[in-house]
Amino acid sequence: MKYDDLAPDLLVESRGPVRIFTLNAPDRLNSVDDDMHHALINAWRALESDEDAAAAVITGAGRAFSAGGDMDHLRHVHHDAEARRRTIRVGERLVRAAISCEIPVVAAINGPAVGMGATLALLCDLVVIADDTYISDPHVSVGLVAGDGGASLWPSYMSMARAKEHLLLGSRVPAEECLRLGLVNRVVPRAEVLDTAVDLASRLASQPRQAVRDTKRALNLHLRQAVDRTVDFALAAEGESMAGEDLMAFIDQFTARAR
């Protein structure tokens, strides 16, 4: 697996032993369509096979980290049952590929991390967020089950009561509240997000490699158990909700506002 295969959806930069992945769809706020889903899975796999990589950073081009699911993609899967099944299978592979990756990854949240964007951030090992942005998983608010990571990951980082509040209400969690809840490690000015993330990744890369990788594997067993307990039902239910009229009503409203 080569990094060249990830373009144009993901850009890759090397800084010594650190790889920087940039979600590259700024015109749609790095929302995730089918192509980007596959590029992200391939990124985790390519990172694992990169013998010179010791850490990585993932960020977004433009003013967002990721706005979540792409509206055109969601409209398509609403009408196409086979596309829904493929999307659900790809979503599971993405979560499992990220959890299985032994290379430490730092999220550089340069703007809103919403829905799948929030899941991407929480699948990373360390998280740096801009002080003027937020994390949010509004699956429920748009008519979807929070199946592609939300139900598995959020309770792993905070109390069940707070996880239920944020997932069921789809609320925005500002940067400082993210820090208080334990969703992120650093809150910095937007202009410093990437540099701070790269610095953390470089520090991780300077640590003894086997110790870092096996400790990450051990820690991620907690996340793996949470995913194993919830993901089959959660993703199946999300797939069903993709065919619902609540989702289409939201997409139609969103499209009308965007005109």
Side-chain angles (χ1 to χ4, degrees):
M1 183 70 65
K2 296 181 179 179
Y3 291 125
D4 291 345
D5 297 333
L6 307 180
D9 301 282
L10 281 177
L11 304 180
V12 186
E13 176 188 353
S14 295
R15 297 191 190 179
V18 175
R19 306 292 175 261
I20 302 174
F21 297 100
T22 302
L23 302 171
N24 187 40
D27 56 324
R28 63 172 197 262
L29 301 180
N30 302 314
S31 58
V32 180
D33 61 5
D34 195 49
D35 289 338
M36 189 174 284
H37 260 136
H38 285 286
L40 286 164
I41 294 171
N42 291 336
W44 298 114
R45 293 173 177 170
L47 188 61
E48 283 272 77
S49 63
D50 183 347
E51 296 181 356
D52 297 321
V57 171
I58 185 166
T59 192
R63 58 191 180 91
F65 181 74
S66 173
D70 177 70
M71 290 298 142
D72 290 337
H73 178 64
L74 289 174
R75 185 184 295 276
H76 174 63
V77 299
H78 171 80
H79 293 293
D80 188 326
E82 179 55 32
R84 288 197 296 275
R85 287 189 288 270
R86 287 197 304 269
T87 294
I88 291 303
R89 288 195 296 270
V90 169
E92 180 180 4
R93 287 199 293 270
L94 173 56
V95 170
R96 293 194 182 280
I99 290 175
S100 298
C101 180
E102 297 176 6
I103 306 294
V105 181
V106 182
I109 302 181
N110 55 303
V114 179
M116 187 63 208
T119 294
L120 278 175
L122 297 186
L123 286 169
C124 294
D125 304 296
L126 300 178
V127 181
V128 179
I129 189 171
D131 57 6
D132 61 350
T133 195
Y134 62 89
I135 293 175
S136 175
D137 191 331
H139 273 72
V140 171
S141 297
V142 306
L144 292 173
V145 174
D148 63 357
S152 303
L153 298 175
W154 285 65
S156 300
Y157 291 99
M158 64 187 73
S159 73
M160 182 63 74
R162 296 306 300 271
K164 287 181 177 179
E165 176 183 351
H166 291 306
L167 291 176
L168 295 177
L169 295 177
S171 52
R172 294 180 177 184
V173 188
E176 288 294 341
E177 179 69 0
C178 287
L179 183 64
R180 193 183 72 78
L181 288 172
L183 287 171
V184 306
N185 301 88
R186 302 282 192 279
V187 177
V188 300
R190 185 177 291 240
E192 299 175 15
V193 168
L194 184 58
D195 286 344
T196 302
V198 171
D199 178 67
L200 284 170
S202 298
R203 290 171 59 188
L204 288 167
S206 70
Q207 293 281 79
R209 292 195 180 188
Q210 182 179 350
V212 167
R213 293 183 182 194
D214 285 346
T215 299
K216 173 178 173 173
R217 286 184 64 189
L219 290 167
N220 273 12
L221 288 175
H222 298 282
L223 293 180
R224 186 188 298 274
Q225 289 174 352
V227 168
D228 287 343
R229 287 195 304 267
T230 60
V231 75
D232 288 340
F233 168 77
L235 280 174
E238 183 176 4
E240 290 184 10
S241 66
M242 287 176 176
E245 293 309 312
D246 287 334
L247 174 62
M248 275 309 301
F250 171 80
I251 292 173
D252 288 342
Q253 292 170 5
F254 181 89
T255 302
R257 290 197 303 268
R259 289 172 180 165

